[in-house]
Amino acid sequence: MSGTASSAGERVLRTDHAGSRLGGCPPRLVGLLAFLLAGALIGGLIWRQEQQRLREARSQAASVAAERAHDIRTSVEGALAPTYALAAMLQPGRQGIPAFAAACDRLLRHFPSVSALQLAPGGVVRQVVPLAGNESLIGVDLLHDPDLGWSARYSRNSGMPLLTGPFRLAGGGLEVVGLLPTFADDLTHGRTFWGFAVARMPLREVLRQSRLDDLEEQGYAYQLFRRDPETREKALLAASPRADLVDPVEKELVVANATWSLSVAPVAGWADARGLLLQVAAGLLFCLVLAWQAAWQARLVAASRAHERTLELRVAQRTADLQRFAEVTAHHLQEPARRVATYAGRLRSQLAGRVNDPEAQLSLDFIGQQAGRLQELLRDAELYLSADQPRGQIECCSVEAVLQSVLTKLAGPIAEAGARLSIGHLPPALIDLPRLGDLFRVAIENALQHGRGTQALRIDVSGERSGEWVIYHVSDNGPGVEEEYRGRVFRVFERLSSSGEGTGVGLAIVRRVAESCGGQAWIEEAPGGGCRLALQLPAAEPPAGVGGVT
């Protein structure tokens, strides 16, 4: 049986090595995987948060641009108001406005962003206020002027006011010009073009009124521009000192039928380098801590598994050693027990007729009985210890032949008990022959010992196929076993009676053999009363030519 002990330790070692190959993962690799996974997750979170921050920043910039565009439009429209006042002062049939200079002076005081007001009957400038410094404007034909010609003709033909420019002033700076076409009602020719009311506005004053420079205080750079209606070239109206905008937010505004565009972008750019660097640093620190923690945990798990495998190996080795010791002890104690029984019988024969002492004869009989009981106990103990290991080839066994061999060996106890046996159909089982014989020997001996009642003992042996299993029944008509004790009788050295019969190991051998084959054993009530022992074993197809014995 030494091979059993060594094979148990070898199986644990093989399992240990296989587990280390399949489930073992170096702590450094675990830490690296944790670092990479955490890095990917945190990188995604940082990228998502950065995208959200950019959307919010652009939305805020768009809101600021829309607010400034509204202020610019309001300022320009306010500067064009004097042209409507001049158009209202025109009288039918006249080429000008009486007291034009006085009227314009009053208007200019109320509109400080307007530098000059003009009247241009038929498109030709005839009156200008203030005249000082603007003498060169008298007589200019707006419809054919190189700068204002296209805008004046478009305004006249569409009948809509128009803001044009910017134009560079002789003294420096830029100005824009607002043209308001006016028309006269003629009974003969109907509604005819009269001319223009013109307002000239320094661009700097217009933008000052719109608080465009406040954008710089809010951290934004800007560009205000328009595109020439004919050439589509970009004409810059105003810009912050740092005008190199990166991916700006652009807002269009329509002022007096002229389209301007306002581009806004943060002076420091859209990227928050400092905040992003802090987030990356915090994420990297978190990844490192998580990787260290994962590696440390992996190291602890590996150490725990190694310790667990070491303990399993030690337990397996010690269990195998104990089983080996028990087997060897049971085997070697059988010989002293046999000798004690033999010499007790010999001593009883030698003293017969010499010593007429009943007490001495009773003592010798007791020694012989106890020696025989010790032999039975050691035999069953050895069988129990080796019950989970095959003692031969696992094959398709003919149960009838094995049972007949067992009955032959038990012919004496069967005749002594006056038992009548009935053997039914017994399907073949997949097991080794020695242990199959032990199963039926123990089952029949148990029936002979505990099945005796007030009537003649009857023992029935039968079997049936149930899927992949075969179930054998050994029944008797004895007093049976109460349900609460049916599990206890399978324990080692467990006996329900104190009569001294049996070793208390037989049914434990039966259950251990059945469970080692993947089956089970249990006790139930026989159909006609009594006890029925059920044995479940793997089924096998019978070999050709083997029949049943009844």
Side-chain angles (χ1 to χ4, degrees), residues 108-119:
L108 291 176
R109 283 197 298 268
H110 293 288
F111 297 94
S113 58
V114 179
S115 61
L117 294 173
Q118 304 174 5
L119 278 181

Side-chain angles (χ1 to χ4, degrees), residues 65 71 108 225 248 292 294 316 394 425 439 443 491 494 514 524-525 548:
D71 292 342
L108 291 176
F225 61 91
W292 175 82
I394 303 295
H425 174 64
L439 286 176
R491 301 175 184 173
E494 186 76 30
E524 57 190 14
E525 184 177 355

Side-chain angles (χ1 to χ4, degrees), residues 139-331:
V140 174
D141 186 356
L142 300 179
L143 296 174
H144 299 90
D145 184 76
D147 296 327
L148 296 174
W150 185 91
S151 300
R153 291 191 295 273
Y154 178 82
S155 178
R156 179 196 62 182
N157 297 335
S158 63
M160 297 184 299
L162 184 65
L163 184 68
T164 185
F167 305 107
R168 188 163 298 277
L169 297 173
L174 299 175
E175 72 171 359
V176 291
V177 177
L179 301 175
L180 177 64
T182 58
F183 297 86
D185 295 327
D186 192 319
L187 297 177
T188 304
H189 300 89
R191 190 168 182 265
T192 60
F193 174 68
W194 181 88
F196 295 101
V198 183
R200 292 182 174 269
M201 297 163 281
L203 186 58
R204 179 174 54 84
E205 290 296 327
V206 174
L207 299 182
R208 186 178 61 81
Q209 297 291 332
S210 63
R211 300 180 295 117
L212 187 61
D213 292 339
D214 290 353
L215 291 174
E216 297 182 37
E217 298 178 1
Q218 299 177 21
Y220 292 102
Y222 66 90
Q223 285 184 349
L224 180 64
F225 61 91
R226 67 179 292 272
R227 296 192 179 275
D228 187 271
E230 291 184 305
T231 63
R232 305 303 300 170
E233 292 182 359
K234 182 177 179 181
L236 191 63
L237 301 176
S240 60
R242 182 175 177 179
D244 49 338
L245 308 184
V246 177
D247 193 18
V249 173
E250 190 170 302
K251 177 67 177 178
E252 287 190 348
L253 59 150
V254 179
V255 181
N257 301 306
T259 302
W260 289 2
S261 298
L262 177 63
S263 296
V264 175
V267 174
W270 296 104
D272 183 9
R274 182 179 179 182
L276 189 61
L277 182 61
L278 289 176
Q279 290 181 356
V280 171
L284 180 61
L285 180 60
F286 175 79
C287 292
L288 290 175
V289 171
L290 184 62
W292 175 82
Q293 182 71 13
W296 182 63
Q297 291 291 340
R299 190 176 293 107
L300 289 181
V301 170
S304 176
R305 289 181 178 176
H307 183 64
E308 182 180 351
R309 290 192 292 266
T310 301
L311 292 179
E312 290 177 355
L313 177 60
R314 290 180 180 177
V315 170
Q317 290 176 342
R318 293 182 181 181
T319 302
D321 292 341
L322 289 174
Q323 183 171 350
R324 172 61 180 163
F325 175 77
E327 292 174 358
V328 171
T329 301
H331 177 74

Side-chain angles (χ1 to χ4, degrees), residues 125-139:
V125 178
R126 300 299 181 186
Q127 293 176 297
V128 179
V129 175
L131 184 58
N134 294 316
E135 294 86 353
S136 59
L137 298 178
I138 300 298

Side-chain angles (χ1 to χ4, degrees), residues 286-453:
F286 175 79
C287 292
L288 290 175
V289 171
L290 184 62
W292 175 82
Q293 182 71 13
W296 182 63
Q297 291 291 340
R299 190 176 293 107
L300 289 181
V301 170
S304 176
R305 289 181 178 176
H307 183 64
E308 182 180 351
R309 290 192 292 266
T310 301
L311 292 179
E312 290 177 355
L313 177 60
R314 290 180 180 177
V315 170
Q317 290 176 342
R318 293 182 181 181
T319 302
D321 292 341
L322 289 174
Q323 183 171 350
R324 172 61 180 163
F325 175 77
E327 292 174 358
V328 171
T329 301
H331 177 74
H332 287 283
L333 286 180
Q334 287 186 12
E335 182 61 20
R338 185 188 64 80
R339 290 182 180 182
V340 170
T342 301
Y343 280 97
R346 182 181 298 180
L347 183 60
R348 184 172 58 250
S349 299
Q350 291 175 352
L351 295 178
R354 298 182 182 182
V355 178
N356 190 14
D357 187 355
E359 291 293 334
Q361 291 294 331
L362 182 62
S363 297
L364 291 175
D365 291 341
F366 181 77
I367 292 174
Q369 291 174 0
Q370 295 303 313
R373 178 173 174 78
L374 180 59
Q375 281 184 297
E376 294 177 358
L377 184 61
L378 292 173
R379 179 202 63 185
D380 287 350
E382 186 176 7
L383 285 177
Y384 175 79
L385 292 172
S386 61
D388 60 340
Q389 298 295 326
R391 301 202 305 273
Q393 183 179 359
I394 303 295
E395 57 185 349
C396 177
C397 297
S398 175
V399 181
E400 290 87 352
V402 174
L403 182 60
Q404 290 298 335
S405 176
V406 170
L407 294 178
T408 301
K409 294 179 182 179
L410 297 178
I414 293 174
E416 182 182 353
R420 182 170 58 87
L421 271 73
S422 173
I423 301 175
H425 174 64
L426 299 173
L430 191 63
I431 191 176
D432 54 301
L433 287 173
R435 291 195 296 167
L436 182 62
D438 291 338
L439 286 176
F440 282 103
R441 178 186 63 78
V442 172
I444 294 176
E445 285 182 348
N446 184 74
L448 291 173
Q449 293 173 358
H450 305 288
R452 299 176 184 178

